């Protein structure tokens, strides 16, 4: 994966040395040769008429709520993207397509609750990711595994739910401690008895009960199958037993009839 990063950096340098013709600076922003500052401009979406030579894009303190598919225009040399203090609540799986040389992404102080690994797949050169001060209760570790160059991660000040479901994230964090910044602010919010408990203070023993009570996927599949099967089996059994009862009853009646008939013939 290091080759990808080197290739991305080389491409970025080539574009910076050979500037491309590009549209004018967005009306709400301030632009220099390679930097676009759109901070505090009441923006509700990412500006589209950005220079292809942009290497740094500041979009903080706006009102962007969603990063839609292909939110960013052709930005082949974008290295730094800053989106803090927006109202960002969703990142579409195709929102960051094309940002293969991006190295720093700041998504702090937003309303993010769920992140998908698909959204971060294009970021093969990302070195720093700031997800601090969002509304994340859980984070699927695959989001982090798809970032091969990640060196700095901030996850502080989120309402982490410290139940068994946080074990996969804790496992990743415990094996990448050197990448986690502001560890002291990485605290549980729920359940109440673990409020403000440091996630990094957990040990393998902390999740022993989860391992004892956990069921494998095939166990759940077994229970899902055995339920309907048992129901159908009970119906067939009832029908079978009912049929036997009816047959026995009819045989008993028939036997009684023949005994009466024989008795009448004798007398």
């Amino acid at each position: 994966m290091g080759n990808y990063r080197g290739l991305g950096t080389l491409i970025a340098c080539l574009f910076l040395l050979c500037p491309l013709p590009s549209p004018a600076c967005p009306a709400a922003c301030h632009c220099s040769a390679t930097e676009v500052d759109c901070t505090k401009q009441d923006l509700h979406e990412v500006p589209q008429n950005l220079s292809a030579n942009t290497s740094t894009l500041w979009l903080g303190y706006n009102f962007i709520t969603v990063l839609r598919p292909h939110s960013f225009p052709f930005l082949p040399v974008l290295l730094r993207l800053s989106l803090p203090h927006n109202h960002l609540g969703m990142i579409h799986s195709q929102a960051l397509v094309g940002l293969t040389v991006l190295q720093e992404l700041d998504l702090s102080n937003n309303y993010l609750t769920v992140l998908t690994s698909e959204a971060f797949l294009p970021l093969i050169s990302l070195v720093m990711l700031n997800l601090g001060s969002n509304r994340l209760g859980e984070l699927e570790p695959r989001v982090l595994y798809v970032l091969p160059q990640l060196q700095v991660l901030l996850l502080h000040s989120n309402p982490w739910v410290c139940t068994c479901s946080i074990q996969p994230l804790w496992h990743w964090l415990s094996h990448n401690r050197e990448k986690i910044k502001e560890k002291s602010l990485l605290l549980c919010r729920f359940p109440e008895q673990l409020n403000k408990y440091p996630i990094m203070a957990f040990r393998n023993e902390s999740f022993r009960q989860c391992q004892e009570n956990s069921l494998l996927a095939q166990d759940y599949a077994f229970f899902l199958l055995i339920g309907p099967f048992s129901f159908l089996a009970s119906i067939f059994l009832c029908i079978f037993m009912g049929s036997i009862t009816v047959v026995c009853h009819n045989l008993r009646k028939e036997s009684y009839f023949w005994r009466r008939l024989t008795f009448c013939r004798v007398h």
Side-chain angles (χ1 to χ4, degrees):
M1 290 298 182
N3 293 334
Y4 286 112
R5 184 183 176 189
L7 180 60
T9 303
L10 176 61
I11 294 173
C13 291
L14 288 175
F15 274 108
L16 290 173
L17 291 172
C18 306
L20 297 173
S22 57
C25 179
C29 308
H30 303 283
C31 304
S32 64
T34 61
E35 184 171 319
V36 179
D37 186 357
C38 304
T39 306
K40 295 183 179 179
Q41 297 299 321
D42 296 331
L43 298 176
H44 291 266
E45 59 184 17
V46 178
Q48 292 301 296
N49 55 331
L50 294 168
S51 168
N53 295 321
T54 302
S55 63
T56 301
L57 178 57
W58 305 99
L59 290 169
Y61 296 90
N62 283 294
F63 298 96
I64 300 173
T65 58
V66 178
L67 291 182
R68 296 181 172 82
H70 303 279
S71 285
F72 299 89
F74 181 59
L75 298 172
V77 297
L78 187 65
L79 300 176
R80 179 183 297 173
L81 175 58
S82 182
L83 281 155
H85 294 278
N86 275 274
H87 294 175
L88 191 59
M90 190 185 84
I91 301 176
H92 190 274
S93 61
Q94 300 295 312
L96 304 174
V97 169
L99 304 183
T100 55
V101 301
L102 189 69
Q103 295 184 3
E104 297 182 19
L105 177 59
D106 186 355
L107 297 169
S108 63
N109 294 279
N110 279 293
Y111 300 156
L112 294 169
T113 57
V114 177
L115 295 173
T116 64
S117 58
E118 291 77 12
F120 291 84
L121 276 174
L123 308 183
I124 58 175
S125 302
L126 196 69
V127 175
M128 190 281 289
L129 175 61
N130 189 349
L131 295 171
S133 299
N134 273 279
R135 298 181 179 180
L136 296 169
E138 297 179 3
L139 180 63
E140 174 58 46
R142 180 165 168 74
V143 173
L144 306 174
Y145 282 120
V146 300
L147 303 173
Q149 303 298 334
L150 188 65
Q151 297 299 321
V152 178
L153 176 65
L154 294 98
L155 294 171
H156 60 280
S157 303
N158 277 286
W160 298 108
V161 179
C162 294
T163 58
C164 293
S165 61
I166 205 170
Q167 184 178 8
L169 176 61
W170 168 82
H171 186 267
W172 188 94
L173 295 174
S174 63
H175 286 80
N176 294 273
R177 290 177 178 271
E178 73 284 355
K179 299 179 182 180
I180 314 303
K181 305 304 175 185
E182 301 191 18
K183 297 183 184 70
S184 62
L185 297 178
L186 189 54
L187 306 173
C188 300
R189 179 77 59 84
F190 304 101
E192 184 62 32
Q193 59 268 31
L194 290 176
N195 187 31
K196 296 184 179 180
Y197 187 83
I199 293 178
M200 301 302 291
F202 285 125
R203 296 291 181 266
N204 282 316
E205 296 75 20
S206 306
F207 300 98
R208 183 175 298 163
Q209 185 177 0
C210 300
Q211 296 168 354
E212 292 174 353
N213 296 335
S214 63
L215 291 174
L216 299 176
Q218 54 265 36
D219 298 326
Y220 287 107
F222 172 77
F223 287 120
L224 288 173
L225 290 174
I226 198 68
F229 177 79
S230 300
F231 176 70
L232 292 175
S234 63
I235 292 177
F236 284 121
L237 180 62
C238 290
I239 294 174
F240 177 71
M241 294 301 295
S243 300
I244 292 178
T245 303
V246 171
V247 170
C248 290
H249 180 70
N250 289 337
L251 288 175
R252 194 176 293 114
K253 286 178 63 178
E254 186 175 346
S255 176
Y256 176 75
F257 171 77
W258 284 110
R259 285 201 303 269
R260 288 290 304 273
L261 183 59
T262 302
F263 177 79
C264 292
R265 285 178 178 176
V266 172
H267 295 281

